[in-house]
Amino acid sequence: MAHFPPGSEALGMHITVHAEKLGRWLVIAMVVFNAAAFAVIGLTKALDRGEDLARLFDVADEGNITSWVSALLFLGAAVLLAMNAHTAHIEGDRDERSWWLLAAVFTYLSLDEAAAVHELLTEPAGSLTDASGLFRYAWIIVAIPLVAILGIALLGYLRRLPVPTRRAFLVAGAVFLGGAIGLEAIGGAVLEAGITGHGVNRLLVSIEEALENVGIALFIGALLRHMAATGARSTTVTVA
């Protein structure tokens, strides 16, 4: 049984979280949720009715249920990262700053998901470059070097993580980036090529969002398992 943050046992309420089960069910929930959202859109299109319902579950839209779910996932990961950072601070761990950096990044990603901040980069980035083909959504031109810089800055931190945690983080990151950047780039190229029939673009966007959500769910599961790394099957979170 792992307690975090250290010394918090005296604060009162204990919440027991089974890391393996929660991580697994969170991934399943994201797969089911995204499949259901896609089905709702398809059904409303087929019936030619229910526009308001479709907008609530449209992964290509902002300010709806799907963007809210994604923002919550990012925020949940940010909270867990901050808890790890706090524990690292108490234990004098050299990776405290790296945990805080990741917490800040995921807090921003939560804000971005809710407010679509990255969309503001498309026009200025596109005006400075030939934003076409895979770079039709020009914010990708800014995102790729930023991701590379973050990865380089965290190399030492990743090497010092326990092997299972490092592997899980890398898998989660690959799934997320495969959707957020990879599928976004492919979708832009498909759209520019004029291949829009039979819901091709909508299918790509739905897969993209599903990969993003599953990637974050995998990351949250990895964080929970890391926090229970004492060998316990569950993690006790103590809150005031």
Side-chain angles (χ1 to χ4, degrees):
M1 188 76 68
H3 296 271
F4 55 88
S8 60
E9 293 86 347
L11 293 180
M13 184 171 65
H14 296 265
I15 302 173
T16 300
V17 178
H18 294 272
E20 288 285 350
K21 290 182 180 179
L22 181 57
R24 187 183 309 120
W25 280 109
L26 188 58
V27 170
I28 293 172
M30 288 303 99
V31 172
V32 172
F33 175 78
N34 281 273
F38 182 74
V40 167
I41 300 300
L43 186 60
T44 56
K45 293 290 183 183
L47 297 176
D48 195 24
R49 61 192 303 176
E51 264 187 43
D52 291 339
L53 179 63
R55 194 197 70 78
L56 285 176
F57 289 94
D58 190 348
V59 294
D61 206 350
E62 307 292 342
N64 57 14
I65 291 175
T66 53
S67 60
W68 174 71
V69 168
S70 298
L72 283 181
L73 284 173
F74 283 122
L75 188 60
V79 169
L80 292 176
L81 287 162
M83 293 175 74
N84 276 286
H86 179 63
T87 299
H89 172 72
I90 292 175
E91 295 177 349
D93 191 326
R94 63 187 293 188
D95 288 320
E96 177 192 352
R97 290 183 179 179
S98 295
W99 286 111
W100 280 122
L101 173 60
L102 281 172
V105 168
F106 275 80
T107 299
Y108 165 76
L109 289 173
S110 177
L111 170 64
D112 181 72
E113 192 64 35
V117 178
H118 68 276
E119 298 292 347
L120 301 177
L121 298 174
T122 297
E123 186 174 342
S127 65
L128 295 174
T129 61
D130 179 22
S132 59
L134 293 173
F135 298 103
R136 177 184 175 90
Y137 299 113
W139 68 267
I140 295 175
I141 299 170
V142 178
I144 291 175
L146 287 178
V147 170
I149 291 170
L150 180 64
I152 293 170
L154 293 173
L155 272 178
Y157 157 80
L158 287 170
R159 288 196 188 104
R160 288 187 291 273
L161 285 173
V163 173
T165 301
R166 180 169 65 246
R167 287 176 178 169
F169 278 16
L170 292 175
V171 169
V175 172
F176 175 77
L177 292 175
I181 294 180
L183 262 294
E184 181 91 342
I186 293 172
V190 167
L191 189 62
E192 185 165 305
I195 307 173
T196 56
H198 305 294
V200 173
N201 188 58
R202 181 165 296 281
L203 177 61
L204 286 173
V205 172
S206 296
I207 296 174
E208 172 197 331
E209 293 296 324
L211 286 175
E212 289 182 25
N213 286 350
V214 169
I216 300 305
L218 287 170
F219 185 62
I220 289 174
L223 281 169
L224 289 171
R225 290 192 298 275
H226 177 75
M227 296 168 83
T230 55
R233 295 287 299 173
S234 63
T235 300
T236 298
V237 183
T238 307
V239 297

